[in-house]
Amino acid sequence: MQIKHNGRVRTGAIAAVSFAALVGTGVLATPASAHTPVWSVTCDKVTVDLTQYNSRVENTVTITVDGKDLLATTSFKSKFHKTLELAKHGQDVSVHLVVKAGDTTAKHNFDKDETKTVAPCKGDESTPPTVPPTTPPTTTPTTVPATPTTPATTVPATPTSSAPVVKPSQSTPPTNLAETGGSSSTPIIGGIAAAVVAAGAGLLFMNRKRRSSHS
């Protein structure tokens, strides 16, 4: 009986130790398998909060923006917390987070590789280039020659009253006479001619009288 009792005690002790070892292994393994990577992105900052990582191994985190380092590869143990400012950007940018856990295995992958796209803050948006409207080709209008207008014939107005005709006074010789070949000496010449004719007639009469007296 004593031998059986001792055997049962030993069996119970071995089972208790095995259970304790199993529980202890589970407790130690819990932090290593919890890995909680949390991160957020706004228009002007990136916040990273990594907790419950295995502190017995080396873990790393890297953050890039459009392929450029915002946070160069950094090592951490059980946790990592960081807030980083984003430079002003006029258009959407891609933020890439890479976390590598040191206890990652073929069966358990605790790494994180994720990309988020963030829009620019209000007021930082870039204005897209304005495309000028296409101007249709201009067509030269056909010029129609204007029809010449016939000038109006101006009819001279008929005078309502005739201008009074002023007769020159008979005592006043006209100042402007037509050129007839005469001059101011014409009366004198006419008088001399008349005297010559009278003298000739007188001589002729005297000559006839003498002839009559001789016969």
Side-chain angles (χ1 to χ4, degrees), residues 131-207:
V131 179
T134 305
T135 304
T138 57
T139 55
T140 305
T142 304
T143 305
V144 179
T147 303
T149 56
T150 304
T153 304
T154 305
V155 180
T158 305
T160 55
S161 60
S162 302
V165 179
V166 180
K167 295 182 179 181
S169 175
Q170 295 179 356
S171 59
T172 304
T175 56
N176 296 325
L177 297 177
E179 293 293 336
T180 57
S183 64
S184 59
S185 60
T186 301
I188 299 174
I189 297 172
I192 295 172
V196 171
V197 171
L203 291 175
L204 181 59
F205 178 75
M206 291 178 64
N207 191 18

Side-chain angles (χ1 to χ4, degrees), residues 3-20:
I3 295 174
K4 291 182 178 180
H5 178 71
N6 291 336
R8 289 178 180 177
V9 171
R10 289 178 181 177
T11 302
I14 293 173
V17 172
S18 298
F19 179 76

Side-chain angles (χ1 to χ4, degrees), residues 15-185:
V17 172
S18 298
F19 179 76
L22 180 62
V23 172
T25 303
V27 171
L28 293 175
T30 299
S33 61
H35 308 83
T36 307
V38 177
W39 72 302
S40 60
V41 181
T42 62
C43 67
D44 59 350
K45 63 183 178 181
V46 179
T47 303
V48 182
D49 193 12
L50 310 175
T51 60
Q52 298 184 10
Y53 278 77
N54 191 343
S55 61
R56 292 175 296 179
V57 296
E58 183 181 7
N59 309 295
T60 61
V61 56
T62 307
I63 302 175
T64 59
V65 178
D66 284 347
K68 297 180 181 179
D69 284 344
L70 180 63
L71 175 67
T73 302
T74 303
S75 299
F76 68 97
K77 292 298 183 179
S78 61
K79 59 183 178 180
F80 179 86
H81 180 80
K82 191 80 171 179
T83 299
L84 304 168
E85 292 185 358
L86 278 177
K88 288 185 178 181
H89 46 98
Q91 56 187 1
D92 294 356
V93 295
S94 297
V95 182
H96 186 200
L97 171 73
V98 177
V99 179
K100 292 185 177 297
D103 55 354
T104 291
T105 63
K107 293 183 179 180
H108 302 285
N109 184 10
F110 302 119
D111 294 343
K112 187 174 184 64
D113 190 328
E114 190 175 2
T115 300
K116 293 183 179 181
T117 301
V118 57
C121 294
K122 186 177 181 180
D124 293 341
E125 300 91 340
S126 59
T127 304
T130 303
V131 179
T134 305
T135 304
T138 57
T139 55
T140 305
T142 304
T143 305
V144 179
T147 303
T149 56
T150 304
T153 304
T154 305
V155 180
T158 305
T160 55
S161 60
S162 302
V165 179
V166 180
K167 295 182 179 181
S169 175
Q170 295 179 356
S171 59
T172 304
T175 56
N176 296 325
L177 297 177
E179 293 293 336
T180 57
S183 64
S184 59
S185 60

